[in-house]
Structures are given as structure tokens and as C-alpha cells.
Amino acid sequence: MWMAPRSTRAVLVAVIAALSIAAGPRRPRDPATVVGDTHFKSGRYLAALAAYRAVLVRQPDHAAATLGAGLSLARLGRCAEGEAVLDRVRAQPVYRLPGYLIEGECALQQGDRATAIERFEEATWRYPKSAAAWYQLFVARWVSNDVEGALEAFDALREVDRNGYYSATAEVRLTLGTDGFAAAWVRFRTVADSLDDPAVEAVSAFLESRQLLLDGSPEAASDRMMLAIRSDFRNRLYATWRAEACRRAGNFECTAFALERPAMQEVDTLPITLAIEARAAVDAGRLDDAREALAAHPDHSDPDWVASRWYLARAAGADTGPWEAMYDVVRRSDSDPLDRLVPRAVPPG
């Protein structure tokens, strides 16, 4: 999940891929929720959840604490639980920009890109000066292969992004896998260095790791991704991409560890995780498990799903031509060449 600098005090989520940038909700300070709000804005979502729940024990109908608990659950990767809590305050005045963005983020995590775009469009309509909302709309359109719509959101984002962080992040996202990445990276690092925020460094490590994978350097990508994971060890997106970097490097023990850590079992499964779990299952010779993972994937137009179907067909000795043709249609500039999916070492057994 993406994380924004605390200094922006906006909310973003990656997964996406899709990525996710996150920051604290903007609302009047309620004395009963000060502790929870402080933890939330610092990215300590478990502590925030505990603080909000302590308020709700005393005041079960406390709207701000209910909102905070729902947002915290979603930030912990437990979208279904979070949305159930948020339903209790969805029609109340406290449910403002953070709520709309969480709805969109959770929709993206569930592979429902159309709903995500709808929620983010509503957020930009209600809060046209919110850089967080425009950034999320950009991401949702980009991962939906709506390049024109993504560029429109990017242009709007640059008009309202005061410190330039979201714009610089979006530009890096646009240029991953292209010749424009190096220049965009320099601009991003200039902004990141001025913010001096650990959350920004986690995003930086994630983006650099993705580019290293696209460059065919999985060992270096795995090392960089560890920096992001140390910032947020519950982030399934970070763990998933580290697993993929380890897998391509031929370090299958690392792959299994990244995918199977207890913290990863406590959060909702992301579409990208299903795609990469399928590749790991193929490497282990468990083709039926790979098919099961891909059957559970919610979006069969997603480039990583198509790439994993190609990888499965290749292992099964089936015709890979149809999947290669489909991949040419759905892939983006940040989609890996299919031959990069093959590990550098022979899987055990």
C-alpha cells in the first residue's frame, strides 16, 4: 500500500498497481480521538485502532471514533471490516474526504476499478483542491489503461499539489519502464529529500524496486524492497513485490517467506498477490494451486493476471500464443516483458 508523507495530511493508498499512498484524515480535532488521530497520522494504525475502540467502549455512537476505526482497519488491509464500520457513519457530516478515498482504495484492492474511479471522481468533485483525490483518480485510471483519463487527472493534480510530492510520484509512476524514468526520478528525489519523511522513503524504495525489476535486476530490487517493508511490515503490496523479486532471482525460500509471513495472512488478499502466488505455485510444480489462485483473481484484463496465465501455460506445455497476444493488448509501460518472469535459477524438485 502506498504511503504519503505525514506533512501532507492527505489520504492515499501501490495497488493497487496500482501502488496506495496513505496519510491522516482531515477533520476538526475531537478531544476524545486525539490519541487515535495522532497514531493514525503517524502510520501506527494498530495503535490508532486500539485508541478509537477505547473511545467506542465509552461512547458506542461516537461518529469521529467510528470513522477513525473504519479508516484504521482499511489501512491495516482489512477492507471488509473497515467498510462495515464506516457504513455506520456514511451519511453523517464526519464522513468526508477520507471516507470517499478509503472506499476507492478498497475497491482498487478488490480489483473493482470501475467503482474505484467512481469514488475518486466523486472525491475530486466534492474536494477539487485535494491533491490526494486527484492522485488516486490518476492511479485508478492509469491501472485501468485509461491513459488519456490518467493524463487529465495528472494535469489537474499539478494545479493543486502544493509541495509537489504527489505530482512527482505520479510522474515516476507514468515513466516506469520508459526512457523518461531517470529525469522523473531526479525530480521525485528532490521533493522527497525536502520532506525528510520515513513514509516517503518507503515509497521511494518501492518505486525504485519496481524499476529495478523492469531493468532485469531482481536481486537489487529485493534489497530495495526490504527498505519499504521495514517501514510498513504489514503492507501486503510491498511483501508481494519482494516475493516476486526473490522469485525471479531464484531465491525461492525468500519468496515463500515473503508470501507466508503471519502478518500477511491477517490482511485482505490483493489481486497482484494472487497473480504472483500463482507464479510461485508454478515454480513449485503445483499447477492446480496456480489455477486456483488465478481463478480467484477479480480482473482478467489485468496485465499481471494475463502474464501469470502465460507463465502457467508455458509450464503446462500448452499454447502460449493466445496469452502473448492478449498481453500485448493489456500491458502498460510498467508491465514486465514476459521472459523476465522466468527465474534465474531452477526451482527445487
Side-chain angles (χ1 to χ4, degrees):
M1 189 172 290
W2 296 84
M3 296 185 65
R6 291 187 292 273
S7 57
T8 65
R9 311 228 357 231
V11 177
L12 276 178
V13 149
V15 180
I16 183 164
L19 294 168
S20 344
I21 298 180
R26 292 189 181 204
R27 58 181 184 273
R29 298 285 279 182
D30 184 324
T33 63
V34 165
V35 174
D37 293 349
T38 300
H39 286 312
F40 189 98
K41 290 167 185 172
S42 299
R44 298 189 294 269
Y45 302 123
L46 274 176
L49 178 60
Y52 292 131
R53 282 176 167 170
V55 174
L56 292 171
V57 168
R58 302 189 302 271
Q59 304 175 64
D61 296 327
H62 196 289
T66 301
L67 175 68
L71 295 176
S72 298
L73 284 164
R75 286 286 173 265
L76 289 167
R78 295 153 61 181
C79 276
E81 291 180 71
E83 289 179 316
V85 174
L86 291 173
D87 280 342
R88 293 158 46 190
V89 294
R90 203 172 296 271
Q92 297 188 32
V94 73
Y95 194 83
R96 295 184 291 177
L97 178 62
Y100 290 112
L101 294 184
I102 280 291
E103 284 189 83
E105 292 169 16
C106 285
L108 272 183
Q109 289 186 35
Q110 294 155 4
D112 186 352
R113 296 173 179 177
T115 296
I117 289 172
E118 182 180 290
R119 295 295 179 269
F120 295 140
E121 284 180 337
E122 185 171 8
T124 60
W125 178 75
R126 292 178 179 270
Y127 304 94
K129 299 297 184 182
S130 170
W134 284 109
Y135 178 84
Q136 285 287 52
L137 181 58
F138 156 78
V139 170
R141 286 176 170 171
W142 175 249
V143 300
S144 300
N145 269 329
D146 178 6
V147 177
E148 183 177 351
L151 291 175
E152 288 177 358
F154 180 57
D155 287 341
L157 168 62
R158 289 191 293 185
E159 293 294 322
V160 300
D161 189 15
R162 288 179 296 178
N163 66 13
Y165 173 75
Y166 292 117
S167 300
T169 306
E171 186 179 8
V172 170
R173 185 70 181 83
L174 279 169
T175 57
L176 280 171
T178 74
D179 293 339
F181 174 80
W185 183 252
V186 170
R187 288 188 285 271
F188 170 82
R189 283 307 316 173
T190 299
V191 175
D193 290 343
S194 72
L195 295 174
D196 188 27
D197 189 324
V200 174
E201 290 309 312
V203 173
S204 176
F206 174 79
L207 293 171
E208 188 175 10
S209 177
R210 286 292 296 117
Q211 182 61 39
L212 286 166
L213 267 183
L214 289 164
D215 288 340
S217 302
E219 296 90 350
S222 174
D223 289 343
R224 290 300 295 164
M225 191 60 72
M226 273 305 301
L227 297 180
I229 290 172
R230 291 189 185 109
S231 173
D232 184 359
F233 76 97
R234 291 178 177 273
N235 190 308
R236 186 149 201 150
L237 181 66
Y238 294 167
T240 297
W241 278 109
R242 180 162 192 259
E244 178 65 356
C246 291
R247 192 191 67 79
R248 294 190 199 179
N251 188 344
F252 303 104
E253 183 177 351
C254 168
T255 301
F257 178 79
L259 289 174
E260 296 171 9
R261 286 189 300 117
M264 292 301 98
Q265 309 311 311
E266 298 170 3
V267 300
D268 298 339
T269 299
L270 304 176
I272 184 61
T273 305
L274 290 167
I276 290 175
E277 283 179 343
R279 297 173 198 172
V282 168
D283 293 336
R286 296 183 283 105
L287 302 191
D288 286 342
D289 288 346
R291 293 185 182 97
E292 184 178 343
L294 293 174
H297 196 290
D299 184 1
H300 293 183
S301 66
D302 177 71
D304 279 294
W305 182 86
V306 178
S308 294
R309 288 297 317 223
W310 171 87
Y311 195 61
L312 173 60
R314 175 181 175 274
D319 182 9
T320 60
W323 299 114
E324 291 165 3
M326 186 174 180
Y327 193 62
D328 285 341
V329 172
V330 301
R331 68 178 302 183
R332 302 183 301 266
S333 58
D334 61 344
S335 298
D336 297 275
L338 289 174
D339 58 1
R340 292 274 169 82
L341 272 60
V342 181
R344 291 188 171 179
V346 178

